[in-house]
Every structure is written in structure tokens, then in C-alpha cells.
Amino acid sequence: MSNPAVTVTFLPDNRSISVKPGVSLLEAVRKAGIVLPTRCGGKAGCMMCKVSVDDGEVGALRPPGDAERRKLGNQLEQGVRLACQAAVLKNVRVHIPEDPLKAAVRRRLEAARRGEADELW
Ligand code: FES
């Protein structure tokens, strides 16, 4: 009998997809159409695939192996995981860090909006 699918929800976009248990978070990210740039091809080398889960959901992912433990150290205690190494076991919500360029553009747009609002007053 095959395992029932589990739901992975990516934040902040709140985008959900169904995957088979055991699939890596990186595969789930890609299946959801989210761009998470990487350089090492999913071998726990580049650390570009860092994501995080909330405290209560740490058990929804397979515990980290040696390579991931070495790379992340005490970041693991803050719920940080390497998407290429973390396999999904249960329904989970995953925080995707905002792309630095997108974050800069968003901040500029917000500042511009505040500026326009100020001029109206
Ligand atoms: S893809 Fe490089 S560390 Fe995960």
C-alpha cells in the first residue's frame, strides 16, 4: 500500500502542493514552481537552499543527517534546514527566505508608497 500524499505549504506565498512522503523539500519547492537558486546540485555544499520551519513542525521532516548537521550546526535549533537534504514526512509549513534583490525592490516600493502618502497629507 502506498503512503498517502502530504501537503507542503510554502510561506510567505502560502502556496501548497501535495507530495509523496520522503520527497526532499527542494523537489517540493520546484514542484510548487518556486525559484530557490542552488549551486551544488543538492549535495549539501552551497547552503543556498536554506529554509526554515516553526518549532512545532520540526518533526514533520526527516531528522538531519551528518552532512546537514555539519553545515548548519546550531542553526538547526532555530528550525533552519537545507531543502536539498530535508525529506518531508508529514504535512508541513516551510518558510522560504525572500530573495535579497526582491527584498530590496520591495523596500524601495514601500518607501516610495510612503513618500506618496506623505505628499497627499
Ligand atoms: S542545494 Fe546546495 S546545499 Fe542544498
Side-chain angles (χ1 to χ4, degrees):
M1 193 173 100
S2 65
N3 288 334
V6 295
T7 301
V8 183
T9 302
F10 295 104
L11 304 169
D13 291 354
N14 213 22
R15 206 181 297 182
S16 294
I17 55 150
S18 292
V19 296
K20 289 182 186 162
V23 161
S24 79
L25 273 181
L26 189 58
E27 288 174 73
V29 163
R30 290 183 173 152
K31 188 176 173 192
I34 296 169
V35 177
L36 189 60
T38 64
R39 284 214 187 106
C40 73
K43 295 183 168 42
C46 67
M47 304 223 354
M48 292 175 71
C49 65
K50 282 201 277 187
V51 297
S52 64
V53 295
D54 293 333
D55 266 359
E57 304 203 20
V58 170
L61 301 175
R62 186 176 294 150
D66 289 345
E68 193 178 6
R69 282 186 188 285
R70 264 197 311 277
K71 283 286 180 184
L72 290 176
N74 59 14
Q75 291 180 76
L76 282 165
E77 292 156 24
Q78 290 139 32
V80 177
R81 297 294 306 265
L82 294 178
C84 66
Q85 302 297 303
V88 181
L89 301 177
K90 300 177 190 165
N91 295 348
V92 64
R93 286 177 305 148
V94 178
H95 299 271
I96 302 284
E98 191 172 26
D99 174 78
L101 182 60
K102 263 191 186 168
V105 169
R106 182 181 48 73
R107 281 194 299 272
R108 292 293 292 267
L109 287 172
E110 285 170 3
R113 256 186 237 123
R114 280 196 304 274
E116 286 170 18
D118 287 347
E119 284 173 25
L120 293 175
W121 296 103

